[in-house]
Amino acid sequence: MHGEYKVPGGKLVVVDLEARDGVLTDVRVAGDFFLEPDEAILAIDRALEGAPADTDASGLAARIDAALPPGTEMYGLTTEGIGVAVRRALAHATDWTDYDWQLIHEPPQPPALHMALDEVLTAEVAAGRRPPTLRVWEWGAPAVVIGSFQSLRNEVDPAAAERHGIEVVRRISGGGAMFIEPGNTITYSLSVPDALIQGLSFTDSYAYLDDWVLGALADMGVKAWYQPLNDIATDAGKIAGAAQKRMVAGEGAVLHHVTMAYDIDADKMTDVLRIGREKLSDKGTKSAKKRVDPLRRQTGLPREAVIERMIGSFRNRYGLTEDVVTAEEMALAKELAASKFATEEWTARVP
């Protein structure tokens, strides 16, 4: 069995092993990490040898921690990361480079249609009718996108949303509300087979699927990191929020989508969004404005250039073929937008 895992912000860990009679055997850990002293790598292999095959990543990490020589130094490597690589080997997980990735980057669409496209395209991946897909959104109108389980009345001031011409839609994934303006927002979705994240915990899957964009930001001079559970942050503040939805059809697929703040009208945002229980109190408004630090200031690049560099970074890592939403997929999405995402019943399903 073979498993690989790139430690977020670190290096690649590779594990080859067998599982016999419920325990790990013939374990070999390798990778492009740095490790001192030399004998630490042998200690890691010995610590994993004989471990019950159902041990979780944390339990495997604890075995390694107990076996490492005093003074061991790891660079680009964590014992938890080794445990994850083992779990991925046992789960027969796939790797990014195992797939023919498709790119969809089409003209602006209405907010409700974007919600529907996410569901339709990920279902197509789950059914095996579409390869794994990166979709970069262009917004046809300003919007507030609330999480699947959020209360509509607690999150949005309806009078302010109407005054600013902002549509409110509800997505299928959890998480918090996102304030969207077409020229100020960068949004993308990954529709991926479930096999890509096998062996990862829910939390680890966020970091794993966000890692490529951290590299893209670094290439633009932005030092960013994954901040559990679902934020991408810098020293200056949050720049993006992620959300996921697990979908089952065929062998299953995962929708992972991210909204990034390229620029932001903070006054409008805090007028439309009710900031937690404090709503529009002075303290809540100030903290909300401070928490988001847009990419425009951090990169100095036009929005289109940021998107272009992100796509280029993904292509350089994993390959990427230009694609479009098929006529059949678009028909399904338009029907779903009309029957679900544009309806009051769905948007106010949690009043």
Side-chain angles (χ1 to χ4, degrees):
M1 300 177 189
H2 179 86
E4 297 185 1
Y5 178 63
K6 185 181 181 300
V7 176
K11 299 293 186 176
L12 182 69
V13 182
V14 181
V15 177
D16 291 285
L17 55 81
E18 298 295 333
R20 299 191 183 97
D21 300 323
V23 299
L24 306 184
T25 64
D26 301 327
V27 181
R28 295 292 180 270
V29 175
D32 60 353
F33 48 79
F34 299 92
L35 179 64
E36 295 290 347
D38 280 353
E39 56 266 27
I41 192 67
L42 300 177
I44 292 171
D45 291 344
R46 286 195 296 267
L48 294 172
E49 196 77 21
D54 60 356
T55 308
D56 64 16
S58 296
L60 295 169
R63 290 177 67 103
I64 298 168
D65 287 334
L68 288 173
T72 295
E73 296 285 347
M74 295 182 172
Y75 305 93
L77 175 69
T78 64
T79 55
E80 181 79 18
I82 298 170
V84 170
V86 170
R87 297 308 317 164
R88 285 176 60 75
L90 292 166
H92 302 284
T94 56
D95 185 66
W96 295 84
T97 54
D98 292 333
Y99 298 105
D100 178 20
W101 288 91
Q102 306 294 298
L103 169 68
I104 293 175
H105 188 194
E106 296 189 328
Q109 304 285 3
L113 185 56
H114 275 307
M115 304 302 109
L117 282 167
D118 262 359
E119 182 168 336
V120 166
L121 295 178
T122 307
E124 291 296 286
V125 171
R129 292 186 292 266
R130 162 170 285 281
T133 298
L134 167 65
R135 183 170 74 93
V136 179
W137 304 21
E138 295 295 344
W139 290 90
V144 168
V145 183
I146 60 175
S148 182
F149 311 107
Q150 287 189 296
S151 162
L152 177 61
R153 71 166 66 99
N154 287 347
E155 299 302 324
V156 183
D157 183 325
E162 184 177 359
R163 185 168 62 250
H164 292 294
I166 292 175
E167 182 178 350
V168 181
V169 292
R170 185 185 294 275
R171 62 181 182 266
I172 60 173
S173 61
M178 309 301 294
F179 179 74
I180 306 296
E181 291 186 295
N184 290 346
T185 306
I186 297 172
T187 305
Y188 67 86
S189 301
L190 287 168
S191 297
V192 307
D194 184 68
L196 183 63
I197 59 164
Q198 283 298 308
L200 300 179
S201 68
F202 191 74
T203 301
D204 287 338
S205 72
Y206 273 83
Y208 184 68
L209 294 176
D210 282 338
D211 188 65
W212 73 273
V213 82
L214 300 185
L217 290 169
D219 291 342
M220 289 181 268
V222 178
K223 183 181 179 182
W225 59 86
Y226 161 76
Q227 185 168 292
L229 171 66
N230 63 331
D231 288 347
I232 296 174
T234 69
D235 286 331
K238 173 182 172 179
I239 57 173
Q244 282 186 14
K245 177 68 176 178
R246 309 295 170 97
M247 302 180 69
V248 178
E251 295 186 358
V254 177
L255 168 65
H256 180 91
H257 44 198
V258 174
T259 293
M260 313 178 79
Y262 172 72
D263 205 347
I264 197 162
D265 185 333
D267 290 326
K268 188 186 294 185
M269 178 185 74
T270 52
D271 190 28
V272 173
L273 295 183
R274 303 185 191 274
I275 309 300
R277 293 182 179 179
E278 297 182 73
K279 194 178 176 182
L280 300 179
S281 70
D282 198 40
K283 179 181 176 183
T285 299
K286 288 180 179 177
S287 64
K289 290 179 182 178
K290 185 177 180 181
R291 187 165 177 254
V292 180
D293 192 72
L295 284 171
R296 180 178 183 176
R297 187 191 68 78
Q298 294 205 42
T299 64
L301 295 169
R303 175 181 176 275
E304 294 74 15
V306 174
I307 292 173
E308 192 175 307
R309 293 195 184 193
M310 287 171 57
I311 291 172
S313 181
F314 191 102
R315 180 178 285 113
N316 289 339
R317 282 185 174 216
Y318 310 126
L320 201 53
T321 302
E322 302 281 341
D323 196 11
V324 296
V325 177
T326 67
E328 293 80 5
E329 290 167 341
M330 183 58 76
L332 287 170
K334 286 182 176 179
E335 180 181 347
L336 190 61
S339 64
K340 178 178 179 179
F341 291 105
T343 66
E344 182 69 14
E345 181 182 9
W346 169 258
T347 305
R349 78 184 188 107
V350 183

